C-alpha cells in the first residue's frame, strides 16, 4: 500500500482529498508530513505539532460501507486502531475522550479528524486524519497534552508508527464489518471517564455535573444528569472539563 512522505504541507487531509480526485488511489494510501502548517482538528479547531517530532498522517478509505445511520462506526474503528497501537507500544492508561481525542495518563496524546465524501455515483470515500504526539517533550503551551516519549521515555520512528496505524485501521475496519456490536462494546470499555461523575460545559458556557453513560450509534454523548434525566449531546454542544 502506498506511503507518500512530504516534508511540509498545509494539511495532509486536504492533500489526500485533492489527490484522490486527481488520481485513482489504492485503498489505505497514506500521506504523512514532517510539518503540517495548517493542521485541522474537530470542527475547525487547529492541530499544532512540533516539526519532525510528531506524526501527522492521513489514510484513504474507499471500501467501507457507510450510510448516515452508521457514519460514526468509522470513528470508533479509527479510535480503537490508535488505542491498539499505543497498547502494543506499552503505553498505559490509554482511553478515548469523546469524540476524537486519544488520552494517555489523562492527557491528550492524539487526535482524529475524519472527512467523508459521498459521490454522485453513490460511492463513498473517507480521509482519516491522525495526529499523534511521538517525540515532542515540550508542551509548555499545551499543559493538557503529552507524547509517547514523555510517557515511555522511548524515541519512536514516525514511518514505523504510521505503518502500524494503517495496518491497525485495516484490521479494525474488518472487525467492524464482521461484528459491529462487539467493536462498539470495546469502544465503550475505553471511553475516558465513563461512569464517573464529571464536570461539563455546554455551548452557552453553562457548567453542570453529569455521568457519561456512553455514545449513541450516531455519535452523540449520552449523559446522566443530576436530576436523574438522560440527555444526548452532539459534537461541540458539550465539553468535558478535566
Amino acid at each position: 500500500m502506498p506511503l507518500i512522505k512530504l516534508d511540509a504541507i498545509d494539511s495532509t487531509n486536504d492533500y489526500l482529498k485533492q489527490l484522490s480526485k486527481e488520481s485513482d488511489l489504492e485503498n489505505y494510501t497514506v500521506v504523512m508530513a514532517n510539518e503540517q502548517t495548517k493542521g485541522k482538528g474537530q470542527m475547525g479547531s487547529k492541530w499544532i505539532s512540533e516539526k519532525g517530532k510528531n506524526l501527522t498522517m492521513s489514510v484513504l478509505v474507499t471500501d467501507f460501507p457507510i450510510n448516515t445511520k452508521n457514519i460514526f462506526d468509522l470513528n470508533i474503528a479509527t479510535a480503537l486502531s490508535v488505542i491498539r497501537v499505543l497498547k502494543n507500544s506499552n503505553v498505559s492508561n490509554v482511553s478515548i475522550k469523546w469524540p476524537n481525542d486519544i488520552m494517555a495518563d489523562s492527557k491528550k496524546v492524539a487526535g482524529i479528524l475524519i472527512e467523508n465524501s459521498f459521490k454522485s455515483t453513490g460511492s463513498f470515500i473517507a480521509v482519516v486524519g491522525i495526529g499523534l504526539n511521538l517525540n515532542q517533550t515540550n508542551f509548555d503551551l499545551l499543559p493538557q497534552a503529552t507524547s509517547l516519549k514523555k510517557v515511555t521515555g522511548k524515541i519512536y520512528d514516525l514511518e514505523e508508527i504510521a505503518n502500524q496505524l494503517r495496518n491497525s485501521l485495516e484490521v479494525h475496519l474488518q472487525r467492524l464489518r464482521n461484528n459491529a456490536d462487539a467493536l462498539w462494546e470495546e469502544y465503550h470499555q475505553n471511553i475516558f471517564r465513563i461512569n464517573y461523575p464529571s464536570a461539563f460545559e455546554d455551548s452557552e458556557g453553562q457548567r453542570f455535573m453529569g455521568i457519561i453513560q456512553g455514545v449513541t450509534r450516531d455519535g452523540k454523548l449520552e449523559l446522566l444528569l443530576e436530576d436523574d434525566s438522560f440527555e444526548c449531546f452532539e459534537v461541540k454542544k458539550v465539553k468535558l472539563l478535566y
Side-chain angles (χ1 to χ4, degrees), residues 188 191-198 210-214:
H188 278 100
I191 293 178
F192 181 62
R193 294 200 61 80
I194 191 169
N195 296 324
Y196 286 93
S198 303
I211 300 175
I212 296 174
Q213 302 297 290

Side-chain angles (χ1 to χ4, degrees), residues 32-33 47 49 53-57 130-134 158-159 161-162 165:
M32 59 178 290
W47 175 266
S49 177
K53 292 191 175 181
N54 302 318
L55 178 61
T56 53
M57 63 178 285
I130 301 172
L132 174 60
N133 295 331
L134 286 179
L158 276 64
E159 186 173 338
I161 296 297
L165 286 169

Side-chain angles (χ1 to χ4, degrees), residues 6-236:
L6 305 172
D7 180 48
I9 194 68
D10 51 357
S11 162
T12 57
N13 265 31
D14 288 348
Y15 180 88
L16 187 53
K17 281 190 296 182
Q18 184 60 37
L19 192 62
S20 69
K21 294 177 182 178
E22 299 170 352
S23 309
D24 186 17
L25 297 179
E26 187 176 339
N27 197 22
Y28 297 109
T29 293
V30 173
V31 172
M32 59 178 290
N34 282 329
E35 183 181 17
Q36 190 171 232
T37 58
K38 295 181 181 178
K40 296 183 292 184
Q42 186 70 20
M43 300 291 285
S45 59
K46 292 183 179 180
W47 175 266
I48 301 173
S49 177
E50 194 171 324
K51 182 179 180 179
K53 292 191 175 181
N54 302 318
L55 178 61
T56 53
M57 63 178 285
S58 299
V59 187
L60 183 71
V61 176
T62 63
D63 66 341
F64 182 69
I66 198 99
N67 55 58
T68 54
K69 293 182 180 179
N70 74 340
I71 198 165
F72 201 74
D73 284 1
L74 186 54
N75 292 63
I76 73 158
T78 303
L80 288 173
S81 69
V82 178
I83 289 286
R84 175 46 51 198
V85 169
L86 297 188
K87 288 182 177 180
N88 288 345
S89 300
N90 297 316
V91 180
S92 59
N93 299 321
V94 291
S95 58
I96 303 162
K97 179 175 170 285
W98 177 88
N100 284 322
D101 288 345
I102 307 298
M103 313 292 284
D105 289 335
S106 299
K107 290 190 174 184
K108 181 175 178 177
V109 71
I112 297 166
L113 175 65
I114 300 176
E115 297 182 273
N116 306 308
S117 297
F118 293 90
K119 296 185 177 181
S120 57
T121 59
S123 61
F124 164 85
I125 66 166
V127 173
V128 178
I130 301 172
L132 174 60
N133 295 331
L134 286 179
N135 300 318
Q136 182 173 331
T137 57
N138 183 357
F139 293 98
D140 290 344
L141 300 179
L142 300 167
Q144 292 183 318
T146 190
S147 67
L148 267 63
K149 187 177 188 300
K150 288 201 70 172
V151 173
T152 68
K154 300 177 182 178
I155 297 176
Y156 294 85
D157 182 271
L158 276 64
E159 186 173 338
E160 180 182 344
I161 296 297
N163 282 319
Q164 290 179 21
L165 286 169
R166 175 178 59 189
N167 295 338
S168 184
L169 178 61
E170 187 174 2
V171 167
H172 282 81
L173 285 176
Q174 186 57 53
R175 289 183 59 202
L176 188 62
R177 295 184 190 96
N178 295 338
N179 192 338
D181 290 341
L183 208 68
W184 269 92
E185 182 177 349
E186 182 179 340
Y187 175 80
H188 278 100
Q189 292 170 356
N190 284 278
I191 293 178
F192 181 62
R193 294 200 61 80
I194 191 169
N195 296 324
Y196 286 93
S198 303
F200 296 87
E201 182 177 281
D202 65 22
S203 56
E204 297 179 352
Q206 299 296 316
R207 296 190 175 190
F208 61 94
M209 296 296 295
I211 300 175
I212 296 174
Q213 302 297 290
V215 176
T216 64
R217 292 302 285 260
D218 59 353
K220 296 177 183 176
L221 186 69
E222 183 180 16
L223 297 181
L224 172 63
L225 304 179
E226 290 182 284
D227 62 1
D228 290 330
S229 66
F230 293 90
E231 189 169 349
C232 294
F233 293 86
E234 296 180 355
V235 174
K236 291 295 182 180

